Amino acid sequence: RVLRAEVAGRVLEVLFREGDEVPAGAVIARLDTSEIRARSATKEREIAMLDADAARAEQQLELVRHTSPRDVETRRAEVRRVAATSRLASRTYQRTEQLERDGVSSAQRLDDVRARRDESSNALAAANGMLERAQAEGRSIDVAQQALVVARERRALAAAQLDELRVSEARHEIRGPTV
């Protein structure tokens, strides 16, 4: 009979000589598995890193899910508060402007009220910007979920590749027929 290995490799050990009787299924020869083992070890390290990436993605997703709704609601409350202050400052400015025209209020008082109006208007714009940012961060839940899916898929692929390497390593033992 002719013996062939399923994989190519350097022969490390031959356990029987030509003409020896070989029991069914016995290991006849072993091929060098150092390259396969090195690739397997690298793949195992890659899987460990991918596991860490997936864990980080899960933590990020939970953090965003937990904090985002409260942050958006807090920002909305801030916008409502600043908007009320801005409306009051605007009405105060209009009244003070009329009083200044009527000669009842001073120009200095009008300048002070105008500055408060402008300040509250700027504060409202800033509060709206912060609300928009919080809402955008809330939408990042979809991005975080996608990152988690990708991390899990990459891990599954690496695990499948590791399994293939292990099967290949097992083929580095040449066994006698089991007939």
Side-chain angles (χ1 to χ4, degrees), residues 1-4 177:
R1 290 190 172 205
V2 175
L3 211 52
R4 289 190 190 110

Side-chain angles (χ1 to χ4, degrees), residues 104-161:
V104 178
S105 183
S106 69
Q108 178 64 46
R109 169 86 174 123
L110 181 61
D111 289 344
D112 291 344
V113 170
R114 181 183 299 122
R116 278 195 296 272
R117 179 201 63 184
D118 293 347
E119 183 181 303
S120 65
S121 177
N122 290 337
L124 180 58
N128 277 319
M130 294 301 286
L131 173 60
E132 288 173 12
R133 181 176 174 194
Q135 289 169 330
E137 287 175 358
R139 289 188 293 273
S140 70
I141 289 174
D142 292 339
V143 173
Q145 285 174 324
Q146 280 302 98
L148 180 57
V149 167
V150 168
R152 287 178 176 159
E153 287 174 354
R154 289 180 66 202
R155 197 258 186 234
L157 175 63
Q161 291 169 339

Side-chain angles (χ1 to χ4, degrees), residues 6 15 28 32 46 51 53 61 73 76-77 82 86 91 96 103-104 109 116 129 131 139 146 153 156 164 167-168 171:
E6 294 182 50
L15 302 170
I28 297 170
D32 184 9
E46 179 184 343
D51 285 341
D53 288 346
L61 180 58
E73 197 47 48
R76 282 186 180 137
V82 173
S86 183
R91 284 193 304 265
T96 305
V104 178
R109 169 86 174 123
R116 278 195 296 272
L131 173 60
R139 289 188 293 273
Q146 280 302 98
E153 287 174 354
E164 288 176 14
V167 167
S168 180
R171 291 182 178 150

Side-chain angles (χ1 to χ4, degrees), residues 14-27:
V14 177
L15 302 170
F16 293 92
R17 288 181 295 204
E18 189 174 338
D20 285 352
E21 189 172 313
V22 177
V27 175

Side-chain angles (χ1 to χ4, degrees), residues 162-173:
L162 179 59
D163 290 342
E164 288 176 14
L165 287 170
R166 288 179 176 150
V167 167
S168 180
E169 183 178 355
R171 291 182 178 150
H172 279 66
E173 283 190 342

